[in-house]
Every structure is written in C-alpha cells, then in structure tokens.
Amino acid sequence: MSSAALRSAVHQSRRTAFARSARFASTSAKAPTLKERLAELIPAEIENVKATRAAHGKKSFGPVIVDQLYGGMRGLPALIWDGSVLDAEEGIRFRGKTIPDIQEALPKAPGGTEPLPEGLFWLLVTGEIPTQEQVTALSKEWAARSAIPSFVEEILDRCPPTLHPMSQFSLAVTALNHDSAFAKAYAQGINKKDYWQPTFEDTMDLIAKLPNIAGRIFRNVYGDGKLPAIEADKDYSYNLAKLLGYAEKPEFVELLRLYITIHSDHEGGNVSAHTGKLVGSALSDPFLAFGASLNGLAGPLHGLANQEVLIWLRKMQSKLGENPTDEDVREYVWTTLKGGQVVPGYGHAVLRKTDPRYTAQREFALKHLPEDPMFQLVSKVYNVVPNVLLEAGKAKNPWPNVDAHSGVLLTHYGLDQMNFYTVLFGVSRAFGVAAQLIWDRALGAPLERPKSYSTAAINSMFQNKQ
C-alpha cells in the first residue's frame, strides 16, 4: 500500500470512528467534560480497531531490510500512535489537522491569537475541536489539580543547582508515582477494561502539576526559590509563564501557547514518545512512563537540539557581527561543514520539507519581533543553508526543523537559560504522550516486545542467500 493510500485509509477510518461522536457533540444540550466525552468514544473506537485488524491485519507494509535494524529503525512501521501522523512532504497533522488548521480552529484566550494547549489536548484525546466552554473548564481543572506533594517540593528544594534541570524534572515526575491512581487501582485488582479511567486521572494530574514542577526548578536554579501561586481562573500557559516570572509579558504568554501546542506531539517514533509508550506498555503508571520519556528527551540528539542551534548562532554572530551579508553566512556554514560538524537545526529523520513548526514560529517572529538581530540572522541562515547543504550533498532534507527557531524566540523575551529549554519541551511533550497512554489502556494495547538479532545471526541468516 502506498503512503498516500495509507494516509487516506487512516483518515477515512478516523472519520468513520468519530462521525457519530461529532453528531452527538453538535446536539448535546450541555457540553460533556473530557472524561465524559472519552467514555462515549471508547466503545466505537474499540470496534473500529477490531474491524481494522479484521480487514487489514494480515497485510504487509512492505519489506524490512537489514540496514533499518542498524540505522535506528528509520522508516520501520512498528507502532500505533493516534494523536498525530508525520508525513515526509506535508509535515505533522494532529488528528488529521495541520498546524494552520489548529491555529485557526482551536479556542484562544481572551484577546489572544494563538491556540490554547488545552484545546490541543482535547483534540489529541478525542479527535474533536472543543468549545470555548470545554477548554475553559479544562484550564480550571488543571489549575485545581496543580499542587505537588510537599515531599516532591522537598526533593526539588534539596537538589543542588548544579544538577541539570532535566534530571530534576525527571526525578520529580517519577516521584509523583507515590500518588498514582492507576498503581493503586491495579494493586486492588481493577478490571482490564477499566484501566483507562485511573490512567486518565493520572495523566490529568501529570499535565496539571508540570508547571509547578518546572517553575520550582527554574526558581531554585536561576532565582530566589520563591514561587508565586497559580491563578485558578487563568489558562495553562499563563500560569506557567507566571511561575517562570514572565506573566507580565503578554507576547511571551502567547509564545508559550504556540510553543506548547506545536511541541506537544510528533507521532510515536521519536525517542520521548516511543519511550513513554514502551514503558507504559508494561503497565507502569503514567508518571513512571513519562519520567522515562523525559530521560530520552534530555539526550543531545533529541531535546537539546535547540540549545545547539542557539550556541552555533551566537558563535556566528560573535564572529560576523549583527548584520552579516549572505555571503558571510555562506562562508561560515561551509566552515562548519568542512570542520566535520553539522549545521544544527537543519534536516530531519522523516521530513523532506521545511518543518511546519518552524514556519509557525517564523510567522510569530515576523509579527512580534521582526527587528530582533538574532531573528534576522536566523532568516539569513534560512536563505543560505539549504542551498549549501544541497551543494555539499550532506542532507536528504536540507530544510530547517523546529529547533532552528525556538531558542531565538525564548531568548528575545529574556529566557536565556538554555539548560532549561528542554524542560519546556518536556512540559509540551507530556500532552502527546499522555493522550496516547490513555488510548493504549482503553484499547488494551499489549506489552511491546519486538524481535532483535545479533550481527552473527544476520550473517548466518543470509550466508547462502543472494
């Protein structure tokens, strides 16, 4: 089956599964809560999966070649991930919707223009665009769940400021397992068909508590340790900005709304998403599963990429000045490549075009900070690098990815503590991982156990084959 035909089949399957749901949503007298809506959707989706497996379960995606095993399983179809699908030419779609789609359709904060992440989470879980009322209710529920246990506060307060913020973040999230609803329910013998309910409660608690955890880490490492209170009537991004000390900058709050939304999910094969799904498949609760996700996200090849971009840009700016010519930039890029280094922020394992997440951030910058010197440098790099990479034959995709822009935006508003950037990425990625964990438990997803081979076994297997 071709990739285009597969995408068409997936979209049609989703439309069928959620058509009845959409009709209900449009006629309901009182908008259901997220949990109520999910409970209505699950039976139909269970039947949809059964029908899909009955119709297509024995069909093949195509051959698996040995190079895929040695090459990080690139392009290997191996996972079910409902929230988003990444197309090499088109970019990410959240439940079938592009980033411009969700920027237009999702509810906004009063006076705001960027989508609220609460609405994106609703979309990831249900496949539906929520109402303003539903998003406001979700904001309030997360604010009500936001307090972290005193022992977790103490753990963070006792961490030395030299401990990397991501290590502290993972530590605190893992410690939330102490109060896991799923762990308690499992110990009490809950029926498998009901696994999704305590999983839902845990994921709601997880997302709700992340701003307090992130804010406490930020204030302990970079400030005086004093943390303001979350405001019960404000949205998630506003409260995170307040905890970081940036609530008085409305543009920064808007940036956080965009940032969390576009970083929330990028299908299931990336390290953080796959790790969360893998650990969750062992019926580890969402806190343990997402703690593992964070450890993967902390790696230089995953969540640290935006820092490397910013460091590279600052070195370029230091050498070339604030207003280099295109030719200056071109020569600097060639120097980077000839030095055996990569150009950070360019290329992607799947994408073969400019990352739509980069485009969304560029549009934000053009609107709010067009004269920022670092943004202007990013723009020049954007005009120069793809042609250089094509000329050098260094990349199948010479176009910028999401990391090529995010650090510059955060720095513009004063958040220049680069070691903290991955924590913000982690807050965002919780949305996608949490949504999939809920559906994995609702659909009875099994323990992941792929087959592995040794090099000796591969040589033996193909020894007498052409």
Side-chain angles (χ1 to χ4, degrees):
M1 180 183 292
S2 70
S3 60
L6 179 59
R7 290 196 303 273
S8 177
V10 169
H11 290 165
Q12 179 60 43
S13 174
R14 290 287 169 231
R15 285 194 292 270
T16 301
F18 290 113
R20 191 182 312 162
S21 314
R23 287 196 297 272
F24 176 90
S26 65
T27 58
S28 175
K30 183 179 181 299
T33 66
L34 180 56
K35 191 173 185 179
E36 290 168 344
R37 191 73 194 105
L38 182 59
E40 294 160 356
L41 291 169
I42 286 173
E45 185 62 8
I46 290 174
E47 294 306 312
N48 180 48
V49 171
K50 288 180 180 178
T52 300
R53 295 190 67 176
H56 308 296
K58 305 302 181 184
K59 297 176 182 176
S60 173
F61 277 98
V64 175
I65 63 174
V66 172
D67 272 349
Q68 287 178 292
L69 277 66
Y70 284 102
M73 299 188 289
R74 297 291 175 89
L76 186 69
L79 299 170
I80 295 296
W81 193 269
D82 293 302
S84 63
V85 174
L86 179 59
D87 181 86
E89 300 298 329
E90 188 180 49
I92 194 67
R93 279 182 176 266
F94 302 104
R95 291 286 191 172
K97 298 185 182 300
T98 65
I99 287 176
D101 289 341
I102 63 173
Q103 285 181 296
E104 179 180 352
L106 290 179
K108 318 292 190 299
T113 59
E114 298 296 343
L116 288 168
E118 291 90 328
L120 191 279
F121 184 66
W122 188 291
L123 175 66
L124 291 175
V125 173
T126 69
E128 300 169 353
I129 298 295
T131 65
Q132 191 77 45
E133 176 189 0
Q134 288 169 325
V135 164
T136 299
L138 192 52
S139 296
K140 291 180 178 179
E141 183 170 359
W142 283 348
R145 291 172 178 252
S146 65
I148 59 178
S150 58
F151 81 91
V152 176
E153 293 180 344
E154 184 177 352
I155 288 172
L156 291 174
D157 292 347
R158 290 175 67 86
C159 286
T162 52
L163 182 62
H164 196 284
M166 280 299 286
S167 300
Q168 298 187 43
F169 198 21
S170 171
L171 184 66
V173 167
T174 301
L176 292 176
N177 152 268
H178 182 272
D179 296 325
S180 167
F182 180 84
K184 289 180 173 62
Y186 186 84
Q188 293 168 1
I190 186 174
N191 192 297
K192 290 181 179 180
K193 67 180 178 62
D194 296 322
Y195 280 175
W196 74 268
Q197 296 193 49
T199 299
F200 177 87
E201 296 301 329
D202 278 354
T203 58
M204 290 286 280
D205 280 343
L206 170 67
I207 293 173
K209 297 179 189 305
L210 293 182
N212 260 325
I213 293 174
R216 199 171 198 91
I217 293 169
F218 186 82
R219 298 275 182 155
N220 283 348
V221 175
Y222 305 110
D224 58 8
K226 297 178 181 179
L227 204 65
I230 274 179
E231 296 185 36
D233 61 343
K234 296 292 187 180
D235 66 272
Y236 190 83
S237 302
Y238 174 90
N239 276 318
L240 177 56
K242 180 180 180 180
L243 293 167
L244 299 177
Y246 291 87
E248 301 308 314
K249 296 183 176 182
E251 284 184 11
F252 180 83
V253 177
E254 278 284 273
L255 174 60
L256 273 188
R257 291 167 182 148
L258 174 65
Y259 181 100
I260 294 173
T261 296
I262 65 175
H263 284 80
S264 64
D265 205 32
H266 214 229
E267 73 170 29
N270 65 76
V271 171
S272 55
H274 184 199
T275 301
K277 182 179 176 71
L278 171 64
V279 175
S281 79
L283 298 186
S284 301
D285 65 68
F287 304 111
L288 297 179
F290 189 63
S293 293
L294 292 174
N295 290 331
L297 188 65
L301 295 184
H302 191 13
L304 296 190
N306 61 355
Q307 297 179 37
E308 295 179 349
V309 170
L310 196 55
I311 291 170
W312 183 74
L313 289 171
R314 285 177 171 173
K315 287 181 179 178
M316 184 191 301
Q317 191 178 58
S318 176
K319 183 175 179 62
L320 304 181
E322 287 196 350
N323 191 29
T325 65
D326 284 359
E327 185 57 33
D328 290 336
V329 172
R330 177 182 168 83
E331 289 182 9
Y332 190 88
V333 172
W334 272 112
T335 299
T336 298
L337 294 175
K338 290 176 180 177
Q341 300 173 312
V342 299
V343 177
Y346 280 73
H348 192 274
V350 178
L351 281 169
R352 296 295 175 263
K353 61 171 285 186
T354 298
D355 191 333
R357 299 172 300 172
Y358 174 94
T359 303
Q361 292 178 107
R362 176 172 172 79
E363 290 172 352
F364 183 95
L366 287 169
K367 178 179 178 181
H368 295 288
L369 48 131
E371 303 303 320
D372 180 272
M374 191 63 80
F375 168 61
Q376 292 182 344
L377 180 58
V378 166
S379 296
K380 288 184 178 180
V381 169
Y382 179 46
N383 291 332
V384 169
V385 166
N387 288 332
V388 172
L389 292 179
L390 286 172
E391 184 179 343
K394 291 290 186 179
K396 293 180 180 178
N397 169 28
W399 307 107
N401 59 51
V402 66
D403 299 307
H405 218 309
S406 55
V408 171
L409 295 178
L410 295 170
T411 300
H412 173 81
Y413 293 104
L415 188 64
D416 57 2
Q417 297 86 352
M418 288 190 293
N419 278 349
F420 191 77
Y421 289 175
T422 317
V423 174
L424 291 179
F425 196 164
V427 172
S428 312
R429 187 47 54 91
F431 286 56
V433 173
Q436 189 60 43
L437 287 173
I438 295 168
W439 275 108
D440 280 352
R441 302 291 77 78
L443 299 173
L447 176 71
E448 284 192 24
R449 180 56 171 89
K451 179 73 178 101
S452 63
Y453 290 92
S454 67
T455 297
I458 289 174
N459 283 323
S460 176
M461 187 183 307
F462 297 104
Q463 186 173 16
N464 298 317
K465 298 180 179 179
Q466 294 298 323

